[in-house]
Amino acid sequence: AAKEEGRNCVRAFDRRMLESDVGDTLTAKMLRSAVADRRISAVFQPIVDVTTGLIWGAEALMRLKDAEGRPVSPETFIPVAERTGVIVELGEWMLREACGLLAAEPALPIVSVNISSRQIDDPNFMGTIEAIVRAAGIAPARLALEITEGGQISGNPRVARLIERLSALGIRVWLDDFGTGFAGLTCLSELRFDMVKIDRFFVQSCDTPRGAKLLKNIIDLVGSCAQRTIVEGVEEAAQVELVASFGVDLFQGYHLGRPMPKHELVRRLADPPAVA
Ligand code: C2E
Ligand code: MG
Ligand code: MG
Ligand code: MG
């Protein structure tokens, strides 16, 4: 797994080196027309409470096709969308999509949406969110915004104020990918999140005693700050079993369901509980 990770790092690094401004500009143009051309879509990955086996919520994830109809990975297009600022438009589209699904499906408790720091920096962000939630007519507490730990988050009074305003409205704010960045711990001490999502790296290295111990300690650490936890990236039943023994009940990962189109998620909502 470490080797695989290493190779991915090298690949990502090479790609970044090769990316030119020209490449960014072309991709940005392609991204900007993606909404109008219907090349953008949303999929939803279930978050399951394994004590009941029921779908507790879902994470909205963006999908994109290029002009030839070929899928482009978020790991490729999200960074370009962020660098070029197009993420502000795409992110707004995503929020509408998520709130639309919540309005159509009262049985779906919560949908979370990833928010990038470019959106947080946008002075219209708060107004945009409020307008979208109001137009959808949903309870604000059914929407969660996932933000990723990073330099822009901790020690930034604007972000702290934004989180306070969102919380005052009832919108949930979650910390995503906990443990992978540099600022995770300072984020936890400075800001009040409704949820902490532990990055899949930790569950995917918990098949050794050392990895398992590390994950348990991270879970305890998050719990000691009185924060709830979702463990991301569970691919096997044994991982769920182990991590549930550490006191976690909310999970997300291929073992419990891949990201799927909304009609499939809706169908699964009506299913009897999966075996926990
Ligand atoms: P993320 O927010 O951490 O989302 C979870 C990612 O892990 C998703 O990748 C999901 O498909 C993947 N995943 C879920 N379960 C498993 C598993 O069991 N094993 C493995 N190997 N992977 C799993 P995806 O959809 O490719 O998205 C990658 C990243 O792109 C996201 O990471 C998020 O940071 C970003 N992203 C996706 N959609 C959006 C969006 O609408 N807005 C923004 N700002 N970022 C987005
Ligand atoms: Mg996320
Ligand atoms: Mg994220
Ligand atoms: Mg994540």
Side-chain angles (χ1 to χ4, degrees):
K3 239 183 194 162
E4 186 64 42
E5 197 69 29
R7 264 202 303 275
N8 285 339
C9 285
V10 170
R11 223 182 291 132
F13 183 67
D14 285 347
R15 205 171 46 221
R16 196 148 305 165
M17 296 281 288
L18 289 168
E19 267 162 11
S20 60
D21 288 350
V22 176
D24 266 21
T25 308
L26 285 175
T27 314
K29 210 172 149 207
M30 189 270 277
L31 282 171
R32 227 170 247 126
S33 60
V35 174
D37 296 351
R38 297 176 179 273
R39 284 184 286 101
I40 191 176
S41 60
V43 287
F44 298 86
Q45 186 176 30
I47 299 166
V48 174
D49 181 342
V50 295
T51 64
T52 60
L54 295 172
I55 291 181
W56 179 88
E59 177 175 15
L61 294 160
M62 206 181 283
R63 293 294 178 262
L64 173 80
K65 287 183 173 159
D66 66 15
E68 278 74 50
R70 291 173 301 223
V72 186
S73 157
E75 312 210 337
T76 305
F77 76 81
I78 294 284
V80 180
E82 285 175 342
R83 279 198 295 273
T84 55
V86 187
I87 194 68
V88 173
E89 280 165 59
L90 297 183
E92 209 177 306
W93 178 89
M94 196 52 159
L95 281 163
R96 280 216 178 77
E97 200 59 25
C99 292
L101 176 61
L102 284 167
E105 299 301 330
L108 178 59
I110 289 180
V111 172
S112 66
V113 175
N114 292 283
I115 299 296
S116 80
S117 60
R118 278 297 279 265
Q119 291 170 274
I120 293 176
D121 289 339
D122 174 14
N124 298 321
F125 183 65
M126 195 64 211
T128 302
I129 298 244
E130 265 191 278
I132 291 173
V133 168
R134 190 162 337 108
I138 56 161
R142 296 176 67 207
L143 178 65
L145 306 184
E146 296 192 9
I147 64 179
T148 303
E149 60 188 46
Q152 305 95 318
I153 301 297
S154 79
N156 183 337
R158 265 207 67 236
V159 175
R161 250 196 327 273
L162 181 73
I163 293 179
E164 268 167 38
R165 288 176 65 194
L166 288 166
S167 302
L169 276 181
I171 295 170
R172 299 167 194 252
V173 185
W174 297 358
L175 181 60
D176 199 7
D177 304 334
F178 183 73
T180 55
F182 296 103
L185 294 177
T186 49
C187 274
L188 261 198
S189 73
E190 284 170 14
L191 304 166
R192 299 264 11 120
F193 294 98
D194 299 291
M195 183 72 73
V196 175
K197 297 183 80 172
I198 297 180
D199 192 78
R200 70 167 183 263
F201 170 83
F202 298 100
V203 85
Q204 289 172 0
S205 46
C206 77
D207 53 351
T208 63
R210 194 183 148 104
K213 199 167 173 193
L214 176 62
L215 178 55
K216 184 184 185 304
N217 281 310
I218 292 171
I219 290 164
D220 289 345
L221 177 77
V222 172
S224 73
C225 299
Q227 308 257 221
R228 287 195 78 183
T229 307
I230 293 172
V231 170
E232 296 190 87
V234 287
E235 294 181 353
E236 293 158 24
Q239 292 170 336
V240 174
E241 209 172 301
L242 175 72
V243 181
S245 78
F246 299 157
V248 171
D249 41 19
L250 298 178
F251 290 88
Q252 182 180 345
Y254 295 166
H255 176 65
L256 299 157
R258 297 209 168 227
M260 55 187 83
K262 61 185 165 197
H263 64 264
E264 224 170 283
L265 181 78
V266 169
R267 199 173 55 219
R268 271 201 52 179
L269 275 174
D271 280 354
V275 188

